[in-house]
Amino acid sequence: MPTETFEFQVEARQLLQLMIHSVYSNKDVFLRELVSNASDALDKLRLAKLKDDTLDADIRDLHIDIDIDKDARTLTVRDNGIGMSYDEVGQLIGTIANSGTAQFIEELKEAQDRAGAEGLIGQFGVGFYSGFMVADEVTLVTRRAGEQQGTRWSSRGEGTYTLETVQDAPQGTTVTLHLKPADPENQLHDYTSPWKIREIVKRYSDFITWPIRMAPESSPGEGDEAPEPETLNSMKALWARPRDEVSDDEYHELYKHIGHDWRDPLETIRLQAEGTFEYQALLFLPAHAPHDLFTRDFQRGVQLYVKRVFIMDDCEALLPPYLRFVKGVVDAQDLSLNVSREILQQDRHIRMMQRRLTKKVLSSVKDMMTNDQDKYATFWREFGAVLKEGLVTDTENREAVLAVASFASTHDDSEPTTLGDYVERMKDDQEDIYFITGESRQAVENSPHMEAFRAKGIEVLLLTDPVDEVWVDTVGAYEGKTLRSVAKGEIDLDAKGDDQADGEKEKQAEEYAGLLGWMREQLGNDIKEVRLSSRLTVSPACVVSDAQDLTPALENMYRAMGQEVPPTQRILELNPGHALVKGLNQAYKEGADRSALAETAELLHALAVVAEGGQPKEPARFVQLVADRLERSL
């Protein structure tokens, strides 16, 4: 095929310009990204060969080569890994098919902290483009393992690139950078200097499990054999080395490599299991939740190795879904090298590992909660919502999850509370743990359902994550105290045995009996019941769910998941101490115009629905009724 010239897609062109005229202070990271890509290619070839031993590929000496040509001012990074086909080069290099690219570009433009900005490379899979920070031209030659024909890609980063097929390409990928002149003032080092290459590899890529080789600087004399290349990295698996031999920086670099994150991890967790089934684990808790944590396509799981041979990148079977944010490596000694995801789901050893790893992560969070409140606060802010999924799905570890969970409450405007602390603060005559669910703290704090609790100084948990609607019913109780919604069932906060209060309620029930029955008939199928309220002190009315009914938010969640849920009739509660309710009752007793009273009853119900964040059944009619009433008042 002849050489063809293509234009970069718009976002790729913008990204190239940002790379070339970058805010990055540390341009050394380009080599880290190219070596990381090469390492991934070697991992993929090893795995492909394990799955298909008929694949025509040589895996006897998988490695990465770095070549320097000082005269031509080129730096070449070469691997003999999986390689790419012609179509793959066009898809993976010529374009950026990633929904996060626009966000990446925006973050890159806005990044003020250079230390943070330089780590953005690789966050959205654009590491290859970092080569343009140090090169005027980048050439890539690649041949996919098992194919006979190779591909050459070349670009000067000016909006176009060329593609052509080549016949003599070796297996794997070769990236050649035609380097810019060194410019120390702008942190552009001389990347034809062997000591600089050694420094970068040692700093960023020492943990790579494949040898990274570079030919010695001296040239052989005539008739002499070429000297053996020098291996630049230790290739020591960090998880297999004693803790006192590994620095925190080394752990952090490993996390950044496998977690595709530019920030240091929040916590590093080591685990070594010995006995009948041996394995080692090095896990990391990130400091920030990824933007796609709650999407269906989120890649969860940790890397699985068997005797330091890479097997699987995202092994979901090793941790439950509610710990999907955990990154790391698990190296088992007694698994088969050709294990598949389907086999892993049934493997007894894998289930044992998952239980142990889960308990280890939860115990580490518990230690963090006890010994480092600031770190725990960061963890819970970023991952609390997903960790609470374990309260629903993991009965074995439910108590452990509850022990590390904290919740916003009316006790403190900023500091969350644990259930244990809530129980310690409960009033002497309080039997239940009260909570309210909603979309935001502001919304639930201003809910009419909270009025009596606020007046009596009773603490209420403020639960605003979608999963809260589910786990409170699943858990049900804590230390013998029932978890009870302030927006469901009947609430009576008066002291038991208070004869005066009981007498007053009987009197009110008798006084309002006629109005309540009439309103029940008028509102028809919109409600299940109309009754007097003990939870209101300021608002005229509120709607509540029956004790065993689904909340509106939970109904919406089920519908969003494609499950049909019949609408639930709710209960309208009236505040007998409110002037509007008193006036409505008086008008009813005096035989006032029933059609006007019916409109008032309809408005009262709609206002109660709006007060809890809902929407009237007929918004246009509601607006018309309100407008008419306002007009009459003028």
Side-chain angles (χ1 to χ4, degrees):
M1 292 178 62
T3 301
E4 294 185 88
T5 300
F6 301 89
E7 286 193 359
F8 285 105
Q9 63 174 188
V10 175
E11 286 187 345
R13 191 157 55 245
Q14 293 175 348
L15 184 58
L16 277 170
Q17 291 306 306
L18 283 170
M19 288 290 187
I20 295 169
H21 309 289
S22 174
V23 296
Y24 288 80
S25 62
N26 184 6
K27 296 178 171 59
D28 294 354
V29 294
F30 84 92
L31 187 56
R32 178 191 70 184
E33 294 302 318
L34 295 181
V35 168
S36 181
N37 288 348
S39 175
D40 289 344
L42 297 172
D43 288 338
K44 290 175 181 176
L45 179 60
R46 167 83 77 172
L47 190 57
K49 188 69 173 177
L50 284 172
K51 291 181 177 179
D52 180 11
D53 58 8
T54 65
L55 179 66
D56 182 17
D58 184 1
I59 62 170
R60 289 173 298 177
D61 182 27
L62 297 180
H63 63 279
I64 301 167
D65 277 326
I66 299 178
D67 290 336
I68 293 172
D69 187 331
K70 288 192 172 186
D71 295 332
R73 285 200 58 75
T74 61
L75 175 69
T76 300
V77 179
R78 180 184 303 109
D79 68 74
N80 55 347
I82 192 71
M84 289 179 281
S85 66
Y86 183 91
D87 290 339
E88 287 173 332
V89 172
Q91 292 168 4
L92 301 177
I93 305 299
T95 63
I96 307 177
N98 189 307
S99 60
T101 305
Q103 178 186 344
F104 171 82
I105 293 173
E106 194 61 31
E107 287 187 22
L108 190 58
K109 287 179 179 178
E110 296 177 355
Q112 300 296 320
D113 177 11
R114 289 185 179 274
E118 66 196 26
L120 288 171
I121 290 183
Q123 188 178 357
F124 291 97
V126 295
F128 172 79
Y129 290 88
S130 62
F132 285 99
M133 293 193 300
V134 301
D136 290 320
E137 182 178 358
V138 178
T139 301
L140 175 144
V141 177
T142 184
R143 176 171 66 83
R144 186 169 183 81
E147 297 186 359
Q148 301 301 313
Q149 185 173 268
T151 304
R152 178 183 286 113
W153 178 100
S154 184
S155 176
R156 296 186 61 84
E158 296 173 348
T160 63
Y161 62 93
T162 62
L163 271 179
E164 62 179 311
T165 57
V166 292
Q167 301 302 321
D168 55 350
Q171 170 190 301
T173 301
T174 300
V175 179
T176 300
L177 307 179
H178 300 266
L179 297 168
K180 298 175 182 178
D183 185 2
E185 290 186 4
N186 291 316
Q187 302 298 313
L188 186 61
H189 302 290
D190 182 4
Y191 296 109
T192 64
S193 171
W195 74 264
K196 184 61 181 176
I197 300 303
R198 289 191 192 92
E199 177 191 67
I200 297 173
V201 171
K202 187 68 178 176
R203 179 179 180 187
Y204 290 115
S205 307
D206 192 53
F207 56 81
I208 295 290
T209 53
W210 306 106
I212 303 171
R213 299 170 182 165
M214 184 173 68
E217 197 167 357
S218 58
S219 302
E222 195 172 325
D224 294 340
E225 292 186 5
E228 287 291 319
E230 172 189 0
T231 299
L232 305 182
N233 59 323
S234 70
M235 293 180 292
K236 291 182 180 179
L238 296 188
W239 55 90
R241 293 162 63 183
R243 175 65 183 90
D244 56 4
E245 292 183 8
V246 185
S247 69
D248 288 341
D249 286 343
E250 288 178 298
Y251 281 138
H252 294 172
E253 285 304 325
L254 175 61
Y255 163 73
K256 292 173 183 177
H257 172 66
I258 62 180
H260 304 293
D261 194 358
W262 55 272
R263 294 163 276 227
D264 290 340
L266 188 66
E267 187 73 8
T268 301
I269 303 171
R270 287 177 57 95
L271 176 64
Q272 182 159 340
E274 298 177 346
T276 56
F277 184 66
E278 296 185 1
Y279 59 92
Q280 297 162 315
L282 185 58
L283 305 178
F284 301 96
L285 303 182
H288 294 266
H291 66 281
D292 56 348
L293 181 61
F294 290 96
T295 64
R296 182 176 299 178
D297 297 330
F298 179 72
Q299 294 295 312
R300 68 179 181 88
V302 297
Q303 290 186 349
L304 175 64
Y305 285 72
V306 174
K307 297 178 181 177
R308 295 179 59 177
V309 175
F310 176 77
I311 299 298
M312 195 175 297
D313 200 16
D314 300 301
C315 185
E316 298 179 356
L318 287 170
L319 285 170
Y322 69 91
L323 295 179
R324 58 185 174 271
F325 53 86
V326 176
K327 299 297 181 183
V329 172
V330 175
D331 190 354
Q333 304 302 309
D334 301 303
L335 288 176
S336 169
L337 288 177
N338 60 357
V339 69
S340 67
R341 292 185 185 272
E342 291 71 24
I343 293 174
L344 286 176
Q345 292 171 359
Q346 308 299 325
D347 190 276
R348 180 176 62 89
H349 288 145
I350 290 292
R351 291 198 299 272
M352 290 170 52
M353 291 167 66
Q354 188 199 78
R355 284 197 294 269
R356 180 78 184 275
L357 293 171
T358 300
K359 292 182 185 300
K360 182 65 175 178
V361 171
L362 293 177
S363 68
S364 297
V365 175
K366 181 67 174 176
D367 291 342
M368 194 190 305
M369 187 182 198
T370 305
N371 302 318
D372 195 332
Q373 276 291 320
D374 289 341
K375 191 179 287 187
Y376 167 78
T378 298
F379 170 81
W380 191 255
R381 182 181 65 247
E382 297 295 325
F383 302 108
V386 65
L387 195 72
K388 284 186 287 188
E389 293 174 12
L391 296 172
V392 181
T393 60
D394 189 354
T395 55
E396 180 181 348
N397 293 296
R398 182 173 292 161
E399 292 301 319
V401 176
L402 270 180
V404 300
S406 57
F407 314 95
S409 92
T410 54
H411 175 70
D412 193 293
D413 290 339
S414 57
E415 293 296 322
T417 184
T418 64
L419 290 184
D421 290 340
Y422 179 103
V423 170
E424 286 184 7
R425 291 191 297 265
M426 284 174 60
K427 294 180 177 295
D428 293 338
D429 59 346
Q430 184 179 339
E431 298 179 351
D432 301 320
I433 298 172
Y434 292 107
F435 68 88
I436 184 171
T437 58
E439 293 185 357
S440 67
R441 178 169 185 140
Q442 182 180 9
V444 296
E445 280 190 315
N446 294 326
S447 169
H449 303 121
M450 294 283 290
E451 292 175 1
F453 293 88
R454 189 181 300 110
K456 293 182 177 292
I458 298 175
E459 183 176 355
V460 179
L461 300 178
L462 310 175
L463 308 180
T464 56
D465 292 319
V467 69
D468 293 328
E469 296 281 354
V470 183
W471 76 258
V472 287
D473 288 334
T474 305
V475 173
Y478 176 78
E479 292 187 359
K481 306 291 186 180
T482 301
L483 290 163
R484 188 169 181 191
S485 171
V486 304
K488 292 179 70 173
E490 291 196 62
I491 297 289
D492 188 354
L493 300 181
D494 291 324
K496 290 184 177 179
D498 187 339
D499 294 337
Q500 183 176 352
D502 292 342
E504 180 67 24
K505 288 175 184 175
E506 289 180 8
K507 183 179 177 182
Q508 287 178 340
E510 183 178 341
E511 183 180 349
Y512 283 87
L515 175 67
L516 299 181
W518 176 78
M519 287 185 67
R520 172 68 185 85
E521 291 178 3
Q522 290 299 312
L523 296 173
N525 293 330
D526 291 341
I527 58 167
K528 179 186 290 187
E529 179 187 353
V530 182
R531 68 190 183 202
L532 297 181
S533 177
S534 298
R535 73 186 88 213
L536 296 174
T537 60
V538 178
S539 301
C542 69
V543 285
V544 299
S545 299
D546 216 345
Q548 305 305 320
D549 287 345
L550 298 178
T551 63
L554 200 52
E555 287 183 19
N556 292 335
M557 284 175 59
Y558 283 129
R559 292 192 183 100
M561 293 186 291
Q563 299 185 31
E564 284 299 321
V565 181
T568 303
Q569 287 183 315
R570 305 185 71 203
I571 298 167
L572 176 64
E573 290 192 350
L574 304 181
N575 179 3
H578 195 280
L580 175 58
V581 177
K582 288 180 178 178
L584 181 60
N585 187 45
Q586 185 65 31
Y588 172 78
K589 286 183 176 181
E590 293 175 355
D593 180 3
R594 288 293 189 259
S595 61
L597 286 182
E599 287 185 356
T600 303
E602 184 180 347
L603 272 175
L604 196 58
H605 174 245
L607 288 170
V609 171
V610 170
E612 69 161 7
Q615 181 174 300
K617 185 174 68 172
E618 298 181 46
R621 174 170 171 76
F622 171 70
V623 170
Q624 185 61 49
L625 288 175
V626 172
D628 289 346
R629 292 301 173 98
L630 290 174
E631 183 181 348
R632 288 181 221 165
S633 69
L634 296 175

